[in-house]
Amino acid sequence: MAGRRTAGHSAGPGAILALALLLVAALPAAAQQQTGDSGLPLPRFVSLKAGKVNVRAGPTPKHPIKWVFLKASLPVEVVQEFDNWRRIRDSEGEEGWVFHTLLSGRRTGLVEPWAGGQRIEMHESADDTARVVAIIAPKRVVVLKECDGTWCEASIENVRGFVRQKQLWGVYPDEKFD
């Protein structure tokens, strides 16, 4: 059947692609948002609820375990849903499947996992000139209260302050939430 054209369809693949792109561009941004089986948006960031989370090769308990997370609260990105299973991506780009009850909607961020040893400053307010209340090492987890697209209010070990959003993995660039 490859290469066969049905009567009445004279548009080539390029014309069809161009029409599809025009239709997608004409849709409002909200209509383009994907949702999973849960009705929640995809992709989205969540955190690990449990201190031990098996990440599997597929969306059933019969699939082999690829690796195990051993720390609760780590942020992960949900990129796909199938029934009660969530395909997640970690800060290193690895993907696998976890059962939905092992995830939490609580937002956390991982401090610059790409930084290679650089520490970041947590400020008293959302201003680079504000008093520094903590210095945080890379790959430390902070709990996120809200983000305004530039700064996130966060806490770590009972210290609350503000960190630059671009210094965190676990929140999208320009994402806003409270």
Side-chain angles (χ1 to χ4, degrees), residues 13-27:
I16 293 171
L17 178 61
L19 180 59
L21 289 173
L22 283 172
L23 289 172
V24 169
L27 291 173

Side-chain angles (χ1 to χ4, degrees), residues 27-101:
L27 291 173
Q32 294 179 36
Q33 176 100 34
Q34 282 188 308
T35 57
D37 292 348
S38 67
L40 296 171
L42 289 176
R44 69 180 179 280
F45 283 106
V46 297
S47 59
L48 300 180
K49 188 186 294 185
K52 181 180 179 188
V53 175
N54 293 333
V55 181
R56 297 186 176 273
T60 70
K62 293 181 180 180
H63 282 89
I65 296 171
K66 291 175 72 175
W67 77 89
V68 178
F69 282 114
L70 297 174
K71 183 176 180 176
S73 298
L74 284 172
V76 293
E77 184 179 28
V78 176
V79 295
Q80 186 179 359
E81 296 183 352
F82 177 76
D83 195 25
N84 288 323
W85 290 84
R86 306 296 179 255
R87 190 168 114 211
I88 58 148
R89 179 181 303 131
D90 69 9
S91 65
E92 297 176 4
E94 296 295 321
E95 293 186 7
W97 292 86
V98 299
F99 198 67
H100 74 104
T101 58

Side-chain angles (χ1 to χ4, degrees), residues 134-176:
I135 304 290
I136 309 171
K139 299 185 181 180
R140 293 290 308 270
V141 175
V142 295
V143 176
L144 302 176
K145 181 177 180 187
E146 64 180 274
C147 294
D148 67 9
T150 304
W151 290 90
C152 293
E153 184 176 357
S155 63
I156 184 169
E157 297 176 9
N158 297 322
V159 176
R160 185 172 294 282
F162 292 81
V163 295
R164 285 233 169 244
Q165 192 161 322
K166 67 182 180 185
Q167 295 176 305
L168 299 172
W169 189 89
V171 61
Y172 297 109
D174 303 320
E175 180 183 7
K176 298 176 184 180

